[in-house]
Amino acid sequence: MNEEIENIHIGEVDDIEVGSVENFEHEEIDYAIFHLESGFFATQGHCYCEEQAFLSEANIEGEELECASCGNTFSIVSGDPISDLDLPPLKIYDVTEEEDDIFLNL
Ligand code: FES
């Protein structure tokens, strides 16, 4: 099987302030792109639960996100649940920086 990685241009490094998150849509799928002190990270765009809250509306505390709708917390880096260990982990994606540009690697 030939599994090619698709590098999708998200924007420029300065488009997302450190400590904030933006939604990015690609082929009708939402992704949450986080810019932290430690770099760029991406998770699925919505949580799994009924509200399907946008994770781009989450509050960021260090490397954790707090769902703006229900208050559950997850690691932005690993996707692992923190506040409720029964929740499934969030899907995470690789983001790379090349000079001033950021790419989502799917
Ligand atoms: S509303 Fe879904 S995790 Fe918060």
Side-chain angles (χ1 to χ4, degrees):
M1 286 259 290
N2 185 11
E3 286 193 29
E4 285 196 9
I5 295 178
E6 213 187 335
N7 300 106
I8 297 132
H9 185 232
I10 300 169
E12 297 190 358
V13 168
D14 292 344
D15 290 346
I16 308 175
E17 276 178 43
V18 175
S20 67
V21 50
E22 297 283 342
N23 190 65
F24 176 71
E25 192 187 324
H26 175 67
E27 293 183 344
E28 298 185 9
I29 298 175
D30 289 314
Y31 301 88
I33 314 292
F34 295 83
H35 192 179
L36 307 182
E37 297 278 1
S38 46
F40 284 93
F41 299 89
T43 67
Q44 64 194 62
H46 301 261
C47 71
Y48 289 117
C49 68
E50 269 177 39
E51 285 81 359
Q52 299 244 313
F54 268 103
L55 294 176
S56 56
E57 292 174 1
N59 301 309
I60 300 171
E61 192 67 52
E63 293 188 337
E64 284 179 32
L65 69 84
E66 181 191 50
C67 171
S69 180
C70 69
N72 277 316
T73 57
F74 295 85
S75 163
I76 296 167
V77 177
S78 68
D80 289 339
I82 295 168
S83 56
D84 180 350
L85 298 178
D86 289 338
L87 292 172
L90 299 174
K91 285 190 203 128
I92 54 168
Y93 302 90
D94 186 42
V95 181
T96 47
E97 278 177 66
E98 271 176 48
E99 297 185 354
D100 288 338
D101 294 300
I102 44 175
F103 296 88
L104 180 62
N105 306 312
L106 298 179

